[in-house]
Amino acid sequence: SDQGNGIITMDVVENESTVISISQANVAMTAYAPAGGKVLKFRTGTYNIGSTTRLARDKVYSNTLVMTGEPDTILIGRLQFENTSNVLVENLTVYNTTTSNNSVVNLIGACDNFTIQDCEIHGTYYDPTGDYFLSGSYVNVDGIRSTNGSSGNLKGLSILRNKIYDVYELGYIHFS
């Protein structure tokens, strides 16, 4: 853990790191590149990932990197990856709590061989008796969004057995 001295330590078990902060997760994901073949596990708890944090950027793992969580692990914000391939995200609960995000999970650019499975994905809660769409006061959050870009690819995307709540569109794939 970060003891206030800038040193971050993690529990490491044969090909698995258990982390207790977003900064530890970023350190581990960077350290795992380019080999991959590891498991990154969040300890039970609530983690604020914000709306702009990218947990992995420009990481192409040669073997699948698994990102998972112990029971009752909750990520608050937008889960984002950019130009990151060979990743399996599973058993995480992600809550979008702000109207400034346009998605709960955001894949930017070339995110090949990317799997999101057995997760709970929650958009911004709204009152089902109100007409928020017409009045413009409710943000239309997508569950899983891919903004591919002109130079990116999207090969091998799998979205399996997820529970997705309070979103405008389950999935949104944009090719520019």
Side-chain angles (χ1 to χ4, degrees):
S1 64
D2 185 348
Q3 303 296 322
N5 56 9
I7 297 173
I8 297 175
T9 60
M10 294 175 274
D11 293 335
V12 178
V13 177
E14 186 86 30
N15 293 326
E16 180 179 298
S17 293
T18 303
V19 298
I20 60 170
S21 71
I22 297 301
S23 61
Q24 283 185 358
N26 278 321
V27 167
M29 292 187 82
T30 298
Y32 292 162
K38 308 273 186 191
V39 175
L40 174 67
K41 183 184 286 186
F42 286 92
R43 284 198 179 145
T44 298
T46 300
Y47 301 86
N48 186 350
I49 54 177
S51 61
T52 59
T53 300
R54 290 184 174 100
L55 286 179
R57 186 175 188 164
D58 300 325
K59 303 286 182 263
V60 177
Y61 302 102
S62 55
N63 297 293
T64 301
L65 172 76
V66 178
M67 177 185 285
T68 188
E70 293 176 347
D72 299 318
T73 298
I74 298 172
L75 304 178
I76 305 278
R78 180 167 45 180
L79 186 59
Q80 292 192 101
F81 299 89
E82 184 174 355
N83 296 318
T84 300
S85 297
N86 298 320
V87 174
L88 165 61
V89 176
E90 65 178 356
N91 300 319
L92 291 174
T93 299
V94 185
Y95 281 91
N96 173 46
T97 58
T98 177
T99 57
S100 64
N101 292 338
N102 59 3
S103 61
V104 183
V105 178
N106 196 23
L107 306 176
I108 303 166
C111 292
D112 298 338
N113 301 318
F114 209 100
T115 301
I116 302 166
Q117 70 182 26
D118 301 317
C119 293
E120 279 194 32
I121 297 169
H122 297 264
T124 306
Y125 177 76
Y126 66 99
D127 178 0
T129 62
D131 193 350
Y132 290 85
F133 182 73
L134 291 177
S135 68
S137 60
Y138 169 66
V139 65
N140 297 313
V141 177
D142 297 323
I144 300 169
R145 181 180 183 90
S146 173
T147 48
N148 184 261
S150 59
S151 61
N153 297 308
L154 188 61
K155 297 179 280 190
L157 173 63
S158 297
I159 301 171
L160 307 167
R161 300 180 307 271
N162 298 288
K163 295 177 182 176
I164 302 177
Y165 304 94
D166 300 320
V167 298
Y168 180 62
E169 296 176 316
L170 165 70
Y172 174 88
I173 300 174
H174 173 75
F175 298 97
S176 54

